[in-house]
Amino acid sequence: MKSTLRYPALLTVLVLFLAVLFFWHLSLGYHYLSKEQLASILIFGGTPQEMLTVYDFRMVRSLLAVLIGMGLAISGAIFQTVSKNELASPSLLGVNAGAGLMVMLLIYMTDAAKGLEIWEQPLAAVIGGALAALTIYRLTYRSGHMTSTYTLVLNGIAVTAGLHALQLLCLVGLDSTKFHQVNTWLIGSIFGNSWSQVTVLLVIVCLFLAFFFASHETLDILSLKEETVIGLGIPINWARFLYLMAAVVLAAACVAVAGSIGFIGLICPHIARRLVGVMHRRFLPVTALLGGILLVLSDSVARVVIAPDEMLVGLIVSLIGAPYFLYILARSRG
């Protein structure tokens, strides 16, 4: 009975915590809004300038932080399930680096005066992320079997390092305007986006969350030993490819909007697994909520730590994620 009540209670706490963080995030900016002012604005009681600030700028950023955090966290959870490795994540398996390189090439070849269409950057990110992930998995698999989970991580680190080297070579040929744009994107930032991006990302994240949640039983089976999966009649290679590509597209879509934000896909699934276990029916919703919480919290800290200026959110996430990654690595080897 306690375990039955514990999961709804945990979900309720996480949802409420995310709502509080979301409200706090909306209040932050060059001009701080008190909770009374913000509550009045949210029920359409503010001045036109306040309404513009909250609904056309801050609300966009807050919603994107939630969606991107959820998308990256769920993508990392699927990577870990498919690879049976808790060290797997979009950033470690080359998705972020591949997407970053492809977007950088797109910016490099685009006329600054013309600009980019809204679909061009996400498409380039998906192609780059998919190619990087497929390369790493091809290097890791032999005769349809994964040689080693550590080999997977090492291949991911090696390919990612190579892609970062190519990114540095591309940076040399950029003018100052494009260099600033690309550098901000590579570190990770949610600033300067629009409602159109919120709409597109909302559709993508919701569709993939629904797809993964509807497939929770298959994902549970895929986390078992290969012999058991084959014995249960699951076409293991096809299933792995399908869920891998779905996770890549989800992660790359988030990276296309916010830049190369790492570690969310590593940390959140790991914490969720410790909280509710490995059953995906419970594991995925908790992972998504933790992803939204982590990115909203990180972006809030980035906006206040050197106010009135702000840090890039990717730096804050890295400061949190790097020590946690070392902890997971030490724990898995122990």
Side-chain angles (χ1 to χ4, degrees), residues 30-106:
Y30 189 77
H31 296 290
Y32 177 78
L33 297 172
S34 67
K35 58 181 182 295
E36 292 82 9
Q37 287 177 298
L38 183 55
S40 175
I41 296 168
L42 291 176
I43 58 175
F44 304 101
T47 65
Q49 292 79 10
E50 290 174 335
M51 298 284 287
L52 178 68
T53 299
V54 171
Y55 281 99
D56 284 4
F57 295 102
R58 298 189 184 183
M59 186 71 73
V60 168
R61 183 167 178 168
S62 298
L63 288 172
L64 282 175
V66 174
L67 292 172
I68 292 165
M70 287 183 170
L72 292 175
I74 290 295
S75 177
I78 302 303
F79 272 111
Q80 291 175 16
T81 295
V82 170
S83 66
K84 300 184 180 67
N85 185 354
E86 64 180 15
L87 295 176
S89 71
S91 57
L92 285 178
L93 294 184
V95 176
N96 287 17
L101 178 61
M102 195 64 71
V103 170
M104 184 182 295
L105 291 173
L106 179 66

Side-chain angles (χ1 to χ4, degrees), residues 4 11 32 60 97 111 166 180 182 220 243 273 280 296:
T4 304
L11 281 183
Y32 177 78
V60 168
D111 185 359
L166 292 175
H180 178 73
V182 168
D220 287 341
Y243 292 113
R273 200 176 291 112
H280 287 77
V296 173

Side-chain angles (χ1 to χ4, degrees), residues 86-89 91-92 150 153 157 263 266-267 270 274 317-334:
E86 64 180 15
L87 295 176
S89 71
S91 57
L92 285 178
Y150 281 105
V153 174
I157 293 172
F263 292 111
L266 173 71
I267 298 173
H270 188 266
R274 293 172 68 89
V317 175
S318 296
L319 287 173
I320 298 171
Y324 198 86
F325 170 67
L326 293 175
Y327 160 73
I328 296 175
L329 185 62
R331 183 173 173 271
S332 63
R333 287 184 173 176

Side-chain angles (χ1 to χ4, degrees), residues 118-129:
I118 188 172
W119 57 269
E120 290 180 325
Q121 192 162 305
L123 179 61
V126 169
I127 293 172

